[in-house]
Amino acid sequence: MKGRLWVAGLALALLSAPAARGQSVEHEEVEQIEAPERVPEQKADTAKAARQIIEQTNAFRKDERRAAVTVSKELTAAAEAFARYMAEKDRYGHTADGRRPSDRAKKQGYEYCIVLENIAYQYSSLDFETEDLAKRFVRGWEKSPGHRRNMLDPDVTQTGVGVARSEKTGHYYAVQMFGRPKSLAITFRIANRSGADVEYTVGERKFTIAPNYTRTHTRCRPAEVKFTPEAKGKEGTTVKPADGDRFVITTDGDGYAVKKE
């Protein structure tokens, strides 16, 4: 079983006028942030900002009819450690520390099925109040397609957020991780008792199962299973397996039938 990984980065620098720069998974760039002429005094409480990011993200998910995500201590530890690293080194990027998000999650003991990551940095010559800092991170992610997709992913169940500030440059770095643990993987079985080869698709992947064979599928995301019609003009069967389901293909007249046991 392979886990799923999607990462997206966003940089926001606020001086006299706002500027934004995004980073997608296809462009694993690492930026070295330079110190400004003057570093403002810190105003924001980074721990409180992280909590507010989680609250605002769940409010956003609720507005978009998504289930709330709960806090994972492992994902939180991974997010906090990476935010601190970027703040200490002023290096920004999903691979700034030489690891990928899934590597950092595993290092903290998170056995994942899905891992997603959003990152961003912000700077203002006037610094930020805590609430404003959290809101800017969340609003920036909401408006960026890749980050928004991560925030609204229907299959993630957990989150962890870290925010840290660089003493050298005054930049705030935020890491928002989402995950679905391996314990929530969906396992189902298909047994062919029809006496003939049967074709079907799981999501976008095609399979053929021979007579008297049983195949076990383990997936990180729910997906429809579509059985190919045995003849033109007939309709195929479509099912959406839950964890532990077993489907049996049997002969039915001149065709076959699919039943859940």
Side-chain angles (χ1 to χ4, degrees):
M1 176 187 65
K2 294 184 178 179
R4 294 292 183 263
L5 170 66
W6 181 262
V7 294
L10 179 69
L12 297 175
L14 300 179
L15 300 168
S16 57
R21 183 175 183 278
Q23 182 186 92
S24 70
V25 68
E26 291 83 8
H27 299 87
E28 296 180 355
E29 302 173 6
V30 175
E31 298 179 44
Q32 186 69 52
I33 310 301
E34 301 297 330
E37 293 183 3
R38 185 185 68 84
V39 177
E41 182 180 351
Q42 181 174 348
K43 297 179 182 178
D45 181 328
T46 54
K48 187 175 181 180
R51 293 193 296 271
Q52 291 180 353
I53 287 172
I54 294 171
E55 293 170 0
Q56 292 175 31
T57 296
N58 271 331
F60 178 47
R61 286 178 64 89
K62 182 178 180 181
D63 289 343
E64 297 295 325
R65 299 182 180 180
R66 300 290 195 273
V69 286
T70 60
V71 176
S72 158
K73 64 179 182 180
E74 293 86 2
L75 289 179
T76 298
E80 290 177 344
F82 189 42
R84 286 195 303 271
Y85 175 89
M86 289 193 289
E88 291 170 1
K89 304 295 184 180
D90 277 304
R91 283 171 56 83
Y92 172 78
H94 291 288
T95 57
D97 63 350
R99 298 185 178 92
R100 296 180 62 81
S102 56
D103 298 327
R104 294 189 285 270
K106 286 187 69 174
K107 184 179 179 181
Q108 298 298 333
Y110 192 73
E111 294 296 325
Y112 73 93
C113 200
I114 299 172
V115 170
L116 312 176
E117 181 181 86
N118 288 342
I119 62 173
Y121 68 72
Q122 295 201 42
Y123 172 82
S124 170
S125 58
L126 301 177
D127 210 75
F128 301 95
E129 298 297 334
T130 301
E131 185 174 351
D132 183 44
L133 178 65
K135 186 179 296 184
R136 287 181 182 276
F137 278 128
V138 173
R139 296 298 176 267
W141 286 327
E142 286 179 3
K143 293 177 181 178
S144 172
H147 305 83
R148 184 185 183 92
R149 181 166 53 248
N150 287 349
M151 295 172 80
L152 296 179
D153 190 295
D155 300 323
V156 298
T157 60
Q158 297 178 316
T159 190
V161 174
V163 179
R165 185 179 189 267
S166 168
E167 294 182 1
K168 180 180 177 182
T169 68
H171 283 68
Y172 288 89
Y173 296 86
V175 178
Q176 180 182 54
M177 301 190 77
F178 297 98
R180 181 186 183 94
K182 187 179 290 187
S183 60
L184 293 183
I186 299 166
T187 299
F188 61 94
R189 292 172 175 80
I190 296 175
N192 186 1
R193 304 292 180 261
S194 70
D197 288 353
V198 175
E199 295 181 348
Y200 64 95
T201 61
V202 181
E204 297 180 354
R205 187 176 175 187
K206 294 182 179 180
F207 296 88
T208 299
I209 186 168
N212 301 315
Y213 274 80
T214 298
R215 180 179 287 125
T216 300
H217 293 269
T218 301
R219 292 183 54 86
C220 291
R221 296 183 182 275
E224 288 186 337
V225 177
K226 298 181 180 180
F227 293 87
T228 303
E230 64 273 20
K232 291 184 177 180
K234 291 190 176 184
E235 293 186 2
T237 300
T238 299
V239 297
K240 191 167 185 178
D243 186 47
D245 281 352
R246 184 174 188 268
F247 299 93
V248 178
I249 307 166
T250 58
T251 302
D252 183 17
D254 60 348
Y256 59 81
V258 180
K259 297 180 180 180
K260 185 172 78 171
E261 286 192 341

